[in-house]
Amino acid sequence: MTGFTPDRRSLLKGGAITLAAAATMSADQLLGYAKAWAQASPWKPEPGAKINLLRWKRFVEAEDVAFMKIVDAFQKATGTTITVSNESYDDIQPKASVAANTGQGLDMVWGLYSLPFLFPSKCMDVTDVAEYLGKKNGGWAASGEQYGKYNGKWIGVPVAATGGLVNYRVAAAEKAGHKTFPSDLGGFQDLVKGLNKNGTPAGMALGHASGDANGWVHWALWAHGGKLIDKDNKVTINSPETAKSLEYVKSLYDNFIPGTASWNDSSNNKAFLAGQLHLTTNGISVYVTAKKEAPAIAEDMNHAHLPVGLDGKRRELHLGFPILIFSFTKFPQACKAFTAFMMEPEQFNPWVEAAQGYLSPFLNAYEKNPIWTADPKNTPYRDVATTASTPAGEAQMSENAAAAIADFVVVDMYANYCTGREDVKTAMTSAERAAKRIFRA
Amino acid sequence: MGPRLRGDDTEWVAINRSYNGMTTIPTSLPTPTRHFGKSSAWDRLRTNRNWLALWFMLPAAAFLILFLAYPLFLGVWMSFTDDRIGRGGGNFVGLENYEWLKDDSIFWLSVFNTLLYTIVASAIKFAVGLYLALLLNRHMPFKALIRAAVLIPFIVPTVLSAIAFWWIYDSQFSIISWSLIKMGLIDHNINFLGDSSWARGSVIFANIWRGVPFVAITLLAGLQTVSPSLYEAATLDGATSWQRFRFITYPLLTPIIAVVMTFSVLFTFTDFQLIWALTRGGPVNATHLMATLSYQRGILSGRLGEGAAIATAMIPFLMAAIAISWFGMQRRKWQQGTDND
């Protein structure tokens, strides 16, 4: 027995004994580490604790495998049982909401965006865990704090985010006259127009797609200086800045591939991988899949941040993944211990690597992970935490802001104008009214 | 009871039999003790048949109240509060939720969509279903097999068929667009779910596809009860096939039509799964029904009160649909299809 990573040949030679030995060794190592960690950890799981954890269904298979490995090590080291269930993006929130309302069924949820802010009173205060992790791993990015803190307390731990960045085909962009990716609004508009003229169109979702549609329309709004609410939660969507952004988005939409108003979160992935779509905003999952299934597309594609706004600043809305513990769980210590364990470097680094860029960290130390520089096409996703804003924009993240994004107020405004259902004025007043309804209390 | 135009006598016999059955109930009751003048209130109550019946009905009533009435009233109550998810009961706000709905253009759009969806889909489902039932009622080879096959759309889980339709209607990969392009009839993909009118048509078509088997099979069951002797007599009298349909089939089928269409309208009006899986109410809310909007506002945005208000607003429409068919079924004209009111 020479190594711990048997290849096919050694397997055939040494038979099952080698494999079994190797497997136990590495599992033992992990278990040994996990046991030592559990000994030193400030949170002692309740004996016989059983945790029901709900998470979003993976888009990158290896990420899920790595996650389950962490769960397994934690179970063995602490004697805790963790039952993990998976739901698609759109079904996470209703399930979590039902659990929050009835006070049973789930102990932890790893969800999307601002999930903890929909029912902050049902989320356990995890300030101790968040501060422990921050101290150990180079501190939280500012956007991480915005995503986790409510009235000075952490109500969730922002595990990571998946960046809503531009995915584009390099050859098509060059043919449209852009050797380097444009970083200003005018250049981006010109690129989208050029792509359409060459028959290699762009497309970004304008349907009720929780991740894809919300992301880029908020960018467009903020880039032009518009905002749904100001610092004090006053609705300010009806403004000349918003009108400008509506015109801008319309000019993009007119050059999109047809059908974007019906797109959901998976539509652009499918069209891009089929070679019909040449620019969109998405997580890195398109690239990860392309590397496996369509190497020619992977070779020809690249990623970039969305252009800076009129004021020269870059603000993007990415898909945050916060994990929360329900206040009614019977095993608070076990839940906290698991949250901390999962984000320790020994677990988090291999996990981030397995995700191949799909999980961008909010903890500063993890930006140094080699995954971000090993492939330069991954690098834009490293800086997601730096450019991220919460759906509340300049205001504090709140229940109302969480409700507004769940009700697609901003997406509907752009879709209403772009599809010609309403003119600029009406689209803005409708959105204003919808926002006022939500922010009335 | 005068002579009636009845398909066969079995139903009439059944009615008689049940009538006789009812008359036997009192004889099996304990004979009232005959202490005239002395009987106390309790004795009278004890021997009162209605009082006894009340007790027999109680379990059923408790069941209905617990599982039907209570959730309904809870929903209505919730619509008068500002309850949110995780709050555990909100404050009473009176009609505030309804006042906000009153000038909410998306809400009124959803009302319009729901009515359009229900009326168009139900009408077409009825026409196609009746036609299919008449076809299936003829003698043909493999009759049982074909009748079973018609039920397939009804058997497939809604979400599954919705996902199939979602692929059929996909903006880039639609099989319909692809075929038409290959045949050279069109030169670009049809924007099935991205254009308001196309999207409405598409979801209505999917609903019709799912709903036709229910109408067809139930009407077929009704057709089976029509006695062939009536058709024979009519044929001897020289009736055309249209006259046979108009004066025999249609009148005898009316009660079943009323029941089927009531159910069909109710199912269509409250449809949720199909829309949610296909469009989520998009594009730009053009296919948002009241049920989907209620879910989006109540569960996704966490405003339980407002979601409940939208759901409660559906009740009057549903009551109206039920009332129409209920009063219709009471009328002899509807039952018998003749002109004697």
Side-chain angles (χ1 to χ4, degrees):
Chain A
M1 291 194 285
T2 47
F4 298 122
T5 48
D7 57 10
R8 251 175 98 96
R9 192 171 295 270
S10 70
L11 260 179
L12 289 169
K13 269 193 203 153
I17 306 158
T18 324
L19 176 68
T24 40
M25 289 290 269
S26 60
D28 268 351
Q29 277 177 332
L30 185 59
L31 181 59
Y33 160 76
K35 274 195 170 141
W37 183 88
Q39 287 285 319
S41 156
W43 301 280
K44 304 277 174 255
E46 297 81 357
K50 285 195 179 65
I51 301 174
N52 284 321
L53 188 152
L54 177 69
R55 65 160 287 180
W56 43 274
K57 201 174 269 164
R58 66 182 183 211
F59 269 73
V60 174
E61 191 183 347
E63 176 273 313
D64 190 31
V65 174
F67 176 72
M68 289 315 290
K69 222 181 244 171
I70 298 172
V71 170
D72 196 48
F74 184 78
Q75 295 195 100
K76 286 201 178 121
T78 60
T80 306
T81 316
I82 303 182
T83 313
V84 180
S85 40
N86 298 273
E87 287 292 346
S88 69
Y89 273 12
D90 295 313
D91 296 331
I92 282 274
Q93 200 214 309
K95 293 233 166 170
S97 295
V98 170
N101 210 38
T102 55
Q104 53 193 344
L106 295 169
D107 302 287
M108 302 176 80
V109 181
W110 188 28
L112 309 183
Y113 279 134
S114 33
L115 183 67
F117 291 88
L118 269 181
F119 33 75
S121 61
K122 295 284 168 175
C123 297
M124 182 167 286
D125 181 359
V126 287
T127 307
D128 47 351
V129 182
E131 281 177 356
Y132 165 86
L133 287 168
K135 217 173 278 165
K136 221 173 154 185
N137 300 297
W140 290 97
S143 56
E145 285 201 24
Q146 287 170 355
Y147 258 116
K149 266 184 176 171
Y150 180 69
N151 292 340
K153 279 191 312 188
W154 290 76
I155 56 169
V157 174
V159 178
T162 192
L165 301 186
V166 180
N167 293 214
Y168 67 102
R169 296 289 289 271
V170 179
E174 278 176 10
K175 201 175 159 214
H178 289 269
K179 287 246 176 297
T180 53
F181 195 83
S183 66
D184 63 309
L185 291 165
F188 187 67
Q189 190 178 30
D190 181 65
L191 171 61
V192 171
K193 275 187 187 152
L195 285 171
N196 188 35
K197 210 186 287 163
N198 294 338
T200 54
M204 307 195 237
L206 260 184
H208 283 182
S210 316
D212 290 344
N214 272 316
W216 78 277
V217 298
H218 278 87
W219 156 77
L221 178 66
W222 294 335
H224 290 86
K227 45 198 177 231
L228 184 65
I229 45 171
D230 68 3
K231 274 199 199 92
D232 308 313
N233 286 318
K234 219 179 105 231
V235 176
T236 54
I237 188 72
N238 197 345
S239 69
E241 288 83 8
T242 308
K244 251 188 282 171
S245 79
L246 279 163
E247 296 295 356
Y248 182 81
V249 167
K250 174 98 163 101
S251 76
L252 298 182
Y253 176 82
D254 288 340
N255 287 289
F256 281 171
I257 192 169
T260 51
S262 70
W263 277 8
N264 66 17
D265 276 301
S266 64
S267 305
N268 60 346
N269 298 44
K270 283 188 304 176
F272 200 99
L273 288 166
Q276 300 194 358
L277 182 64
H278 296 77
L279 184 152
T280 190
T281 47
N282 204 59
I284 206 169
S285 49
V286 169
Y287 181 55
V288 171
T289 316
K291 277 195 283 189
K292 259 206 297 197
E293 289 164 15
I297 290 179
E299 186 64 33
D300 179 48
M301 71 181 284
N302 205 348
H303 305 111
H305 279 273
L306 284 156
V308 295
L310 292 175
D311 59 355
K313 281 190 196 148
R314 178 175 278 137
R315 282 173 236 87
E316 291 164 336
L317 178 67
H318 301 294
L319 192 56
F321 295 129
I323 196 163
L324 65 89
I325 304 173
F326 281 123
S327 52
F328 46 79
T329 177
K330 286 186 196 125
F331 311 107
Q333 293 296 315
C335 292
K336 283 184 173 179
F338 177 68
T339 311
F341 179 74
M342 148 179 116
M343 294 188 69
E344 292 279 4
E346 288 78 0
Q347 278 71 244
F348 202 72
N349 273 321
W351 187 19
V352 165
E353 280 159 35
Q356 300 166 71
Y358 197 69
L359 296 179
S360 305
F362 283 111
L363 280 165
N364 294 327
Y366 294 122
E367 285 179 8
K368 295 192 190 76
N369 190 298
I371 187 85
W372 304 119
T373 41
D375 180 348
K377 290 183 183 176
N378 291 347
T379 313
Y381 284 92
R382 176 188 60 192
D383 308 322
V384 157
T386 327
T387 60
S389 283
T390 67
E394 288 172 10
Q396 280 278 313
M397 194 56 214
S398 64
E399 258 181 290
N400 291 339
I405 199 160
D407 205 23
F408 297 103
V409 172
V410 178
V411 173
D412 278 351
M413 178 180 76
Y414 285 99
N416 268 328
Y417 179 55
C418 288
T419 56
R421 244 198 100 232
E422 292 178 350
D423 59 19
V424 172
K425 272 243 154 61
T426 326
M428 287 197 300
T429 32
S430 312
E432 184 182 32
R433 208 197 146 278
K436 278 194 173 151
R437 169 175 59 76
I438 290 170
F439 285 93
R440 67 185 181 231
Chain B
M1 292 279 184
R4 292 202 197 191
L5 188 61
R6 269 283 164 206
D8 59 358
D9 290 332
T10 47
E11 192 180 342
W12 183 228
V13 171
I15 292 168
N16 269 327
R17 197 175 292 144
S18 69
Y19 182 72
N20 289 334
M22 274 159 66
T23 53
T24 58
I25 291 174
T27 55
S28 64
L29 277 174
T31 23
T33 39
R34 293 174 193 269
H35 296 294
F36 294 110
K38 271 205 277 179
S39 68
S40 64
W42 168 242
D43 277 334
R44 262 180 282 136
L45 191 64
R46 204 158 55 100
T47 53
N48 186 324
R49 258 187 270 156
N50 291 335
W51 172 250
L52 188 71
L54 182 77
W55 284 99
F56 278 124
M57 284 194 301
L58 213 58
F63 195 81
L64 288 177
I65 289 169
L66 190 66
F67 292 107
L68 290 175
Y70 174 68
L72 183 67
F73 281 112
L74 197 65
V76 175
W77 162 251
M78 211 180 249
S79 72
F80 296 113
T81 69
D82 62 355
D83 198 9
R84 292 191 195 176
I85 278 182
R87 288 268 178 91
N91 305 312
F92 182 79
V93 294
L95 290 171
E96 193 186 314
N97 287 322
Y98 294 95
E99 277 159 19
W100 278 93
L101 285 182
K102 205 176 69 187
D103 55 355
D104 180 346
S105 59
I106 297 182
F107 170 71
W108 287 111
L109 183 65
S110 81
V111 173
F112 169 76
N113 290 337
T114 312
L115 291 176
L116 179 84
Y117 186 73
T118 309
I119 293 169
V120 174
S122 299
I124 299 180
K125 270 190 274 193
F126 171 66
V128 177
L130 181 62
Y131 179 67
L132 214 57
L134 291 171
L135 277 185
L136 290 172
N137 198 31
R138 297 189 177 181
H139 291 288
M140 54 184 149
F142 308 113
K143 197 165 68 176
L145 206 68
I146 294 172
R147 283 180 185 173
V150 168
L151 271 176
I152 286 176
F154 195 55
I155 296 164
V156 181
T158 313
V159 169
L160 271 189
S161 50
I163 289 172
F165 271 106
W166 184 61
W167 275 103
I168 291 172
Y169 293 147
D170 192 283
S171 51
Q172 269 75 43
F173 305 104
S174 163
I175 178 83
I176 301 175
S177 299
W178 184 84
S179 314
L180 292 176
I181 288 173
K182 290 281 164 191
M183 283 191 271
L185 294 174
I186 53 175
D187 58 358
H188 59 275
N189 284 328
I190 300 171
N191 196 359
F192 282 110
L193 299 178
D195 174 84
S196 299
S197 317
W198 271 107
R200 284 184 181 137
S202 301
V203 292
I204 288 176
F205 180 82
N207 180 281
I208 291 170
W209 179 83
R210 258 197 78 71
V212 159
F214 170 71
V215 179
I217 293 293
T218 321
L219 290 183
L220 178 64
L223 285 175
Q224 309 261 294
T225 63
V226 181
S227 164
S229 58
L230 291 172
Y231 292 115
E232 281 162 21
T235 317
L236 286 178
D237 287 344
T240 63
S241 62
W242 165 251
Q243 283 170 327
R244 287 200 298 272
F245 172 75
R246 173 64 189 84
F247 296 107
I248 301 175
T249 316
Y250 176 68
L252 291 174
L253 214 54
T254 329
I256 294 219
I257 291 176
V259 175
V260 169
M261 288 322 288
T262 309
F263 276 99
S264 182
V265 166
L266 292 189
F267 289 153
T268 316
F269 194 87
T270 55
D271 195 8
F272 171 83
Q273 295 183 60
L274 195 71
I275 297 285
W276 199 248
L278 274 180
T279 65
R280 279 176 204 282
V284 236
N285 303 314
T287 59
H288 240 319
L289 302 186
M290 292 168 85
T292 52
L293 188 68
S294 161
Y295 178 78
Q296 182 180 311
R297 295 267 171 89
I299 305 292
L300 294 187
S301 301
R303 308 295 162 120
L304 289 175
E306 206 177 308
I310 298 172
T312 306
M314 293 168 75
I315 295 178
F317 294 100
L318 294 172
M319 297 286 258
I322 295 171
I324 288 172
S325 57
W326 177 251
F327 290 118
M329 279 192 285
Q330 304 272 310
R331 290 179 58 193
R332 292 177 71 196
K333 186 176 168 183
W334 274 44
Q335 281 183 16
Q336 299 175 10
T338 50
D339 294 330
N340 57 339
D341 270 294

